[in-house]
């Protein structure tokens, strides 16, 4: 009984009955042999018994067969031919006992069954060999011995097969054919050898037959050595085959690494392709060829530039022409490998289409190799179901709908039918596997004439305006004039500040009228990672949290390849929409690299909710300012680095702005604790630019140093004097009251005038000072400085500078006002952009005549806040510049109130805007 059968308790009733019957028959046979003992030659019996026991240990593993044979059956046949009935049964039972005990230890029921089955087999074979009727009709002893050997085989193997059949419910004939019939020829061969040994016994004596024992052992050992060599060669061939397959997979993984897709792509394509091929009846070398081709079909992409392969957007026609060569190049690479199965035709034709519109040769229908037809459909399915640089993965059900729609057009209908019926099973199989698991130069400059367009369509290189937004010639003229003015102002503003945050903020505000956007993100490259330095607009928090490795996503690709992308997909940014709960309304992106002196320093990315919202004009405008923008950012970064690493102003020796804020926070905390007041004075020089323009920057630096030293000497020992930046200075005076502060201001005003006179020889400078006192005007550094700066600015408005400069300093603002043109009853609304004592600039689309008079109402609630003026110049469709009329003393006082109102409203709106941004 085999060890693979069930235990006695687990056997069915039929199996138990049959086992009991065999054991009973074996016991009866052994009892009969014991009762009728006889021996022709006891020495011969003992000798054959010992040899049979030893031979039970000699097992032969036959090549190509899952089973073993023991040599002892040969001596059982010799015993049947030469010994008595009792001796033959004893020899058979004891040798079977020895065979069953080595090498495994069977259970008692298994051991008993095996011994009894061997006994019954030996008894029946003995009766067949010594049957008088058989000897009468068959005169040849070797033939009778073969008949006895067949009887032994049928009874012994049949009894074990019957138990297995009863236990497992399999047909008896199938078990005999599959598991035991392979050994039948060896029993016939053993019968022949036993016949030769019997002949020697009869012709000479039984001792002579013992000479066969060493010969049989030598043959056994030689055969074992031969089989061992075959096993070694087989193992070597299997190792070489495994190495070959691993080499193919490693090469395929290298291709996938260049393509920047996941390695699961390989396994999914391979599993899908092999299973579909089996369903369609492919076997042998065709199946092996498809296996290799599914791993290596994209090897030709080694000849395609990486920036085309990894481009997170649609290909241009020129880029698609370059991409198409990968089929031919891949086939030529694999031709050099000389596969023993047809891999090359599959790789060459895996982009052919069923209707003949594919490439490179335009094959159609059955002209396309079946392996290529399978691979084409499977590769299409995997491409749509996987994340790619230009789009997110689609649901598998949606992919199947598209695949079915292409049946009979791009793909073989039979292949599509198999995928449609089994795609869920195949996907689960792929997921389970994924969880568990010198030649001449290659022709990279090929021209493929077939192929109309890539599946995703061409990049729209010349993007037109959306319907309803076509430009008329008048608006084009106005837009051109406005664009030139805006670009000029933007260029001027970019160089006006070294603060990175201010530079980026000004840029975003100035850029929006020229290139409309719903969201803007300016990324700075730090340690091979793009970090969002400035973000504004929709999805503020999403973009602020991004960390984009160089080369990844849309912005990473732009930074790495130094090429812009128009109307790319925003959702491919790494980490942008990884959370399935997140949703974005943004559908198009315009990104371009910012290149400084030392290379790419960042990426400017604009986003819109509409698809294909950006045009080539938008890209042109950005390219026009990107160089200036990159230089401004580079300078601001250098300044930021220097500012963060220093606390002293290099020119004046005073503490710089960073130290000022730290000191102000400390003094405020101390004054709160001691319940003392604290005064902050913000000082700004009027006319300092005049010195730089007339006398040069070196002289301007001398003025700053003289004034800084004089200001420091005039203050108390524990007052804190710092240079805020440019020609602005700040004094922190703890414990100084309002009246004492006013006296202090009167004391320091002449210091600026004297410093200018000492250097330039004329009174060219004046000083505007703004005061803020804690806790009346604020309790933190930002509030105090803001209040002091506002008061300083109002004082500056009251102090005209020298002539041949601008008469009055302008104040930037954003306020909606009413315009009442002369001779018109209906008011016109506009946006106040800047204002001074002398005039203002208003954005409006109204058509007004230069030189005509008008009245401006600055507050709808307070009609007294108004001023009259004349239109100095007109920018059609953009705005007008207004010059106020000559003012009397009363008019000037009213104008001061207007300026203060405009300043307060602008500050209010700016604060509210910042609070809304912080709440997002």
């Amino acid at each position: 009984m085999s060890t693979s059968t069930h235990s006695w308790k687990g056997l069915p009733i039929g199996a138990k009955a049959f086992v009991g019957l065999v054991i009973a028959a074996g016991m009866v046979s052994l009892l009969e042999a014991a009762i009728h003992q006889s021996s022709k030659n006891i020495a011969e019996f003992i000798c054959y018994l010992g040899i049979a026991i030893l031979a039970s240990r000699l097992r032969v593993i036959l090549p190509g067969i899952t089973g073993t044979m023991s040599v002892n059956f040969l001596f059982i046949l010799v015993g049947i031919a030469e010994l008595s009935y009792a001796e033959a049964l004893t020899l058979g039972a004891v040798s079977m006992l020895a065979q069953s005990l080595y090498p495994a230890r069977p259970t008692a029921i298994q051991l008993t069954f095996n011994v009894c089955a061997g006994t019954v087999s030996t008894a029946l074979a003995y009766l067949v060999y010594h049957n008088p009727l058989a000897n009468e009709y068959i005169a040849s002893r070797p033939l009778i011995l073969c008949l006895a050997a067949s009887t032994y085989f049928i009874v012994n193997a049949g009894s074990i097969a019957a138990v297995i059949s009863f236990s497992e419910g399999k047909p008896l004939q199938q078990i005999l054919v599959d598991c035991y019939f392979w050994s039948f020829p060896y029993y016939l061969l053993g019968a022949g050898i036993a016949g030769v040994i019997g002949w020697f016994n009869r012709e000479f004596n039984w001792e002579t037959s013992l000479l066969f024992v060493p010969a049989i052992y030598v043959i056994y050992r030689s055969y074992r050595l031969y089989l061992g060599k075959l096993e070694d060669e087989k193992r070597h061939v299997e190792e070489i085959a495994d190495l070959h397959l691993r080499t193919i997979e490693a090469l395929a993984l290298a291709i996938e690494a260049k393509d920047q897709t996941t390695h699961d792509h390989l396994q999914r394509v391979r599993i899908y392709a092999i299973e579909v091929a089996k369903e369609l009846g492919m076997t042998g070398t065709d199946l092996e060829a498809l296996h290799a081709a599914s791993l290596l079909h994209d090897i030709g992409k080694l000849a395609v530039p990486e920036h085309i392969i990894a481009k997170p957007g649609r290909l241009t026609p020129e880029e698609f022409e370059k991409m198409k060569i990968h089929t031919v190049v891949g086939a030529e690479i694999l031709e050099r490998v000389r596969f023993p199965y047809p891999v090359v035709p599959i790789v060459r034709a895996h982009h052919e289409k069923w209707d003949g519109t594919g490439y490179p040769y335009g094959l159609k229908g059955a002209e396309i190799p079946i392996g290529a037809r399978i691979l084409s459909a499977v590769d299409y399915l995997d491409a749509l179901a996987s994340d790619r640089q230009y789009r997110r993965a689609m649901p598998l059900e949606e992919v199947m709908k598209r695949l079915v729609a292409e049946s009979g057009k791009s793909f073989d209908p039979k292949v599509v039918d198999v995928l449609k019926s089994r795609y869920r099973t195949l996907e689960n199989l792929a997921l389970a596997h994924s969880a568990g698991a010198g030649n001449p130069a290659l022709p990279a400059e090929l021209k493929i004439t077939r192929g109309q367009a890539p599946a995703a369509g061409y990049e729209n290189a010349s993007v037109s305006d959306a319907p309803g937004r076509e430009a008329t010639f008048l608006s084009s003229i106005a837009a051109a004039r406005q664009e030139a003015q805006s670009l000029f102002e933007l260029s001027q503003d970019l160089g006006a500040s070294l603060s990175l945050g201010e530079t980026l903020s000004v840029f975003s505000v100035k850029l929006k009228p020229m290139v409309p956007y719903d969201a803007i993100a300016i990324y700075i490259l730090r340690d091979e990672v793009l970090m969002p330095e400035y973000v504004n607009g929709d999805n503020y928090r999403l973009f602020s949290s991004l960390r984009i490795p160089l080369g990844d996503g849309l912005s990473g690709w732009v930074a790495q390849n130094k090429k812009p992308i128009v109307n790319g997909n925003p959702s491919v940014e790494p980490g942008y929409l990884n959370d399935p709960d997140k949703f974005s309304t943004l559908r198009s992106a315009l990104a371009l690299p910012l290149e400084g002196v030392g290379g790419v320093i960042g990426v400017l990315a604009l986003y819109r909710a509409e698809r294909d919202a950006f045009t080539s004009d938008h890209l042109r405008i950005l390219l026009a300012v990107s160089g200036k923008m990159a230089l401004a950012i580079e300078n601001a970064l250098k300044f930021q680095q220097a500012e963060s690493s220093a606390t002293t102003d290099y020119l004046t020796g005073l503490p710089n702005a960073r130290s000022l804020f730290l000191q102000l926070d400390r003094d405020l905390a101390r004054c709160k604790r001691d319940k003392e007041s604290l005064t902050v004075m913000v000082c700004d020089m009027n006319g300092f630019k005049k010195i730089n323009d007339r006398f040069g920057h070196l002289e301007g630096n001398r003025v700053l140093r003289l004034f800084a030293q004089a200001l420091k000497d005039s203050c108390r020992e524990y007052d804190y004097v710092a240079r805020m930046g440019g020609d602005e200075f700040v004094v922190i005076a703890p414990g100084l009251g309002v009246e004492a502060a006013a006296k202090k201001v009167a004391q320091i005003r002449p210091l600026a005038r004297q410093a200018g006179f000492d250097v330039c020889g004329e009174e060219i400078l004046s000083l505007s000072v703004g005061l803020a006192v804690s806790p009346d005007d604020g309790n933190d550094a930002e509030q105090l400085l803001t209040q002091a700066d506002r008061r300083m600015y109002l004082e500056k408005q009251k102090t005209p500078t020298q002539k041949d400069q601008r008469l009055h300093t302008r104040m930037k603002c954003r306020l909606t006002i009413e315009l009442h043109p002369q001779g018109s009853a209906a008011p016109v609304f506009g946006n106040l952009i800047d204002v001074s004592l002398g005039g203002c600039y208003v954005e409006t689309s109204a058509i007004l005549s230069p030189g005509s008079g008008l009245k401006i109402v600055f507050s709808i609630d307070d009609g007294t806040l108004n001023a009259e003026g004349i239109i100095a110049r007109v920018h059609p469709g953009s705005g007008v510049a207004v010059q106020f009329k000559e003012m009397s003393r009363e008019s000037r006082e009213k104008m001061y109130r207007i300026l203060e109102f405009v300043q307060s409203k602008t500050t209010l709106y700016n604060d509210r805007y910042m609070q809304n941004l912080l709440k997002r």
Side-chain angles (χ1 to χ4, degrees), residues 701-711 751 754-756 758-759:
N701 291 343
R702 284 184 59 200
V703 171
L704 291 175
R705 284 194 291 267
L706 287 174
F707 175 73
Q709 187 61 43
L711 182 61
L751 300 180
Q754 185 62 40
D758 290 344
V759 174

Side-chain angles (χ1 to χ4, degrees), residues 430-646:
L431 292 175
H433 187 281
S434 176
N439 289 322
L442 299 175
E445 299 295 333
L446 294 178
K447 173 71 174 179
I448 306 298
T449 57
R450 303 292 305 177
Q452 300 173 353
Y458 287 129
E459 178 188 44
N460 196 351
S462 56
V463 185
S464 60
D465 289 340
R469 289 191 291 177
E470 295 83 2
T472 64
F473 75 96
L474 288 177
S475 61
S476 298
I477 295 173
R481 182 180 179 87
Q482 185 176 3
E483 178 183 312
Q485 179 67 23
S486 299
L487 287 175
F488 174 78
E489 292 180 359
L490 180 58
S491 299
Q492 294 296 314
D493 292 337
L494 282 178
S497 174
L498 285 176
S499 168
L500 182 59
E502 183 179 349
T503 298
L504 300 182
S505 178
V506 169
F507 176 80
S508 68
V509 172
K510 294 287 186 180
L511 180 66
K512 194 166 188 178
M514 295 184 287
V515 184
Y517 57 82
D518 296 319
I520 182 174
I522 300 175
Y523 303 99
I524 301 299
L525 185 61
R526 293 188 173 97
D527 298 327
E528 303 297 311
V529 176
L530 290 173
M531 309 287 288
E533 186 68 31
Y534 178 84
V535 178
N536 198 359
D538 295 350
N539 301 129
Y540 168 85
R541 294 188 183 277
L542 278 175
F543 287 110
S544 297
S545 64
L546 295 185
R547 302 294 183 269
I548 304 175
L550 186 65
D552 287 2
L554 186 140
S555 299
W557 186 92
V558 167
Q560 185 180 56
N561 295 282
K562 302 180 181 179
K563 293 183 177 181
I565 284 183
V566 182
N567 292 323
N569 187 353
S571 66
V572 301
E573 300 284 24
Y576 179 55
L577 288 180
N578 284 349
D579 188 344
D581 295 332
K582 295 179 181 178
F583 176 77
S584 173
T585 59
L586 302 178
R587 294 291 180 269
S588 56
L590 170 56
L592 77 161
L594 299 174
E595 296 187 64
V597 177
V600 175
I601 62 170
V603 172
L604 168 63
L606 307 179
Y607 304 97
R608 290 288 298 275
E610 299 88 0
R611 293 186 182 276
D612 300 331
F614 296 102
T615 67
S616 55
D617 275 344
H618 295 149
L619 177 61
R620 176 181 54 79
I621 293 172
L622 291 181
L623 290 175
V625 299
S626 62
K628 180 81 173 179
M629 177 68 179
L631 184 60
I633 292 177
E634 199 170 43
N635 291 336
L637 287 172
K638 292 178 181 178
F639 177 79
Q640 188 181 65
Q641 182 180 5
E643 187 179 40
S644 63
S645 61

Side-chain angles (χ1 to χ4, degrees), residues 321-374:
E321 289 298 322
K322 193 70 175 178
M323 178 66 81
K324 286 194 294 184
I325 71 171
H326 83 273
T327 54
V328 177
V329 173
E332 294 195 8
I333 293 174
L334 297 180
E335 278 179 348
R336 295 178 172 89
V337 179
R338 297 180 182 177
F339 284 96
Y341 29 77
V343 178
V344 173
I346 298 177
V347 173
R348 182 183 287 116
H350 78 278
H351 275 290
E352 300 287 359
K353 294 186 178 181
W354 184 256
D355 59 4
T357 60
Y359 63 88
Y361 300 124
L363 303 179
K364 63 186 300 185
E367 296 175 352
I368 308 171
I370 180 63
R373 283 179 262 159
I374 294 172

Side-chain angles (χ1 to χ4, degrees), residues 24 30 87 159 215 308 315 319 346 454 533 541 548 556 697 774 826 849 907 916:
L30 288 174
E87 290 173 334
S159 61
I308 295 179
L315 301 180
E319 290 170 340
I346 298 177
E533 186 68 31
R541 294 188 183 277
I548 304 175
H697 289 281
S774 173
S849 302
T907 303
N916 291 335

